[in-house]
Amino acid sequence: MLLEGIETLLVLAEEGTMSRTGSRLYISQSAVSKRIAKLEATLGTKLIIPAGRLIKLTPDAHALIKNVGPSFNEIRGLIFEHQNLDDQSIITLDCSETLVAGYLANTLGTYFQKDKYISITTHHTPVIVENVQSGKASIGFCAGHLPAQYSFVAEHLMDEPFKLVFNQPLTALPKAIVVNDLKNPSNISQAAVLQKLGITPLMEMDSYTASAQLALAGMAPALVPQSIVKTLSIDDKYCFEFAELAELTRPIYLIYRQNSYKQPRVKNLVETIANLFA
């Protein structure tokens, strides 16, 4: 019951409301409330405060999440590793949206014909890492820098180059460009490179597709990875490369728990994806 309450608190911290938490855990809103109440009673402290339609976490709740959250996810991952996958067990592949669109769509369409029990989800890299560590996903396919400490196998596939996309000719480095969220841990290294070059991040988007479309509409040049250029079939005349930006690449990884890889279906899917970059 204690682990159940902690899991509910962790999801509530992400979702912000009882109803969304219930939907994600496949339980009723009242069941969410009861789990949190039991956890508060067990710990002898208040964890949540109503704030209109949302739920606000108390300082004690934040401290509990910080101290227990990583260990809880690791325990959940270890339990997941000991589950046997039969031919109809769902294998979850958690991907970066840009990568699944740019590199995997055709391959997975074919692969699905021989193994229909594959589920694909899309998230940013920090969430993909968390989902693989906790066992919510069997395999992660992500881009950007990984955390310093992790408990899974990280198979480096390639360093994906970026291009500057714009609907007008670029003969020199622009002074300002559209980028993706530089506060995202997987993108944070880009900030130092841009600062060194004297380039101002004009806007920080949450979608490379949106960045590219704004650039093609003439808003400002955008820093766009190769996978998006490929997915959107952006003409070469709108893509520009500069030697100064050569270090702006992002590593692409396949990540999975070691014991999960021992499952033949997981191993086969991992090797199918890895072979695309061989």
Side-chain angles (χ1 to χ4, degrees), residues 86-191:
D86 59 32
D87 289 343
Q88 296 184 1
S89 297
I90 297 296
I91 295 176
T92 299
L93 172 63
D94 201 7
C95 305
S96 159
E97 180 183 5
T98 61
L99 297 184
V100 72
Y103 297 113
L104 293 191
N106 291 334
T107 296
L108 290 179
T110 302
Y111 193 91
F112 192 72
Q113 300 309 308
K114 63 179 181 180
D115 189 344
K116 296 186 180 298
Y117 297 96
I118 304 293
S119 175
I120 302 170
T121 55
T122 57
H123 292 101
H124 293 310
T125 294
V127 177
I128 296 173
V129 167
E130 178 185 325
N131 286 345
V132 171
Q133 289 189 142
S134 67
K136 293 178 184 177
S138 304
I139 306 167
F141 183 45
C142 55
H145 295 280
L146 300 177
Q149 302 292 329
Y150 52 81
S151 56
F152 48 75
V153 176
E155 189 172 340
H156 178 246
L157 301 179
M158 69 175 289
D159 289 315
E160 184 180 39
F162 281 82
K163 297 181 184 294
L164 281 178
V165 172
F166 199 36
N167 71 343
Q168 302 169 31
L170 291 176
T171 56
L173 277 176
K175 296 296 183 183
I177 63 174
V178 177
V179 298
N180 259 42
D181 184 10
L182 297 179
K183 295 180 288 296
N184 184 321
S186 61
N187 296 336
I188 199 167
S189 63
Q190 295 178 4

Side-chain angles (χ1 to χ4, degrees), residues 6-273:
I6 291 173
E7 179 186 31
T8 305
L9 179 65
L10 292 173
V11 175
L12 182 59
E14 295 176 1
E15 298 295 340
T17 70
M18 294 284 192
S19 60
R20 290 202 297 263
T21 300
S23 296
R24 185 162 150 188
L25 293 173
Y26 301 100
I27 60 176
S28 67
Q29 185 172 332
S30 62
V32 172
S33 182
K34 288 177 182 177
R35 287 186 180 185
I36 296 298
K38 288 180 180 178
L39 182 61
E40 289 179 327
T42 300
L43 300 177
T45 187
K46 193 71 175 172
L47 297 173
I48 63 172
I49 301 171
R53 294 171 54 195
L54 301 176
I55 295 297
K56 182 179 179 181
L57 301 183
T58 67
D60 284 342
H62 284 294
L64 180 64
I65 291 170
K66 180 180 179 181
N67 293 326
V68 176
S71 298
F72 179 83
N73 284 333
E74 181 60 21
I75 291 171
R76 187 159 50 186
L78 289 170
I79 293 172
F80 169 79
E81 284 186 349
H82 288 85
Q83 295 176 348
N84 289 320
L85 296 176
D86 59 32
D87 289 343
Q88 296 184 1
S89 297
I90 297 296
I91 295 176
T92 299
L93 172 63
D94 201 7
C95 305
S96 159
E97 180 183 5
T98 61
L99 297 184
V100 72
Y103 297 113
L104 293 191
N106 291 334
T107 296
L108 290 179
T110 302
Y111 193 91
F112 192 72
Q113 300 309 308
K114 63 179 181 180
D115 189 344
K116 296 186 180 298
Y117 297 96
I118 304 293
S119 175
I120 302 170
T121 55
T122 57
H123 292 101
H124 293 310
T125 294
V127 177
I128 296 173
V129 167
E130 178 185 325
N131 286 345
V132 171
Q133 289 189 142
S134 67
K136 293 178 184 177
S138 304
I139 306 167
F141 183 45
C142 55
H145 295 280
L146 300 177
Q149 302 292 329
Y150 52 81
S151 56
F152 48 75
V153 176
E155 189 172 340
H156 178 246
L157 301 179
M158 69 175 289
D159 289 315
E160 184 180 39
F162 281 82
K163 297 181 184 294
L164 281 178
V165 172
F166 199 36
N167 71 343
Q168 302 169 31
L170 291 176
T171 56
L173 277 176
K175 296 296 183 183
I177 63 174
V178 177
V179 298
N180 259 42
D181 184 10
L182 297 179
K183 295 180 288 296
N184 184 321
S186 61
N187 296 336
I188 199 167
S189 63
Q190 295 178 4
V193 176
L194 296 177
Q195 184 178 30
K196 181 178 66 176
L197 295 172
I199 299 175
T200 301
L202 184 62
M203 285 177 271
E204 296 186 34
M205 308 296 292
D206 191 48
S207 163
Y208 280 117
T209 299
S211 298
Q213 297 290 17
L214 288 173
L216 292 172
M219 175 75 75
L223 191 66
V224 178
Q226 175 178 280
S227 51
I228 286 296
V229 171
K230 179 180 177 182
T231 300
L232 298 180
S233 300
I234 301 175
D235 195 291
D236 287 344
K237 67 182 179 182
Y238 300 127
C239 299
F240 305 91
E241 298 180 39
F242 294 91
E244 297 92 330
L245 298 178
E247 62 181 301
L248 278 179
T249 61
R250 61 175 189 167
I252 294 177
Y253 294 99
L254 263 178
I255 62 176
Y256 47 88
R257 299 184 69 94
Q258 182 65 58
N259 282 345
S260 299
Y261 186 72
K262 296 177 182 178
Q263 302 279 354
R265 290 177 57 223
V266 172
K267 181 179 180 181
N268 191 49
L269 182 54
V270 166
E271 291 180 347
T272 297
I273 296 172

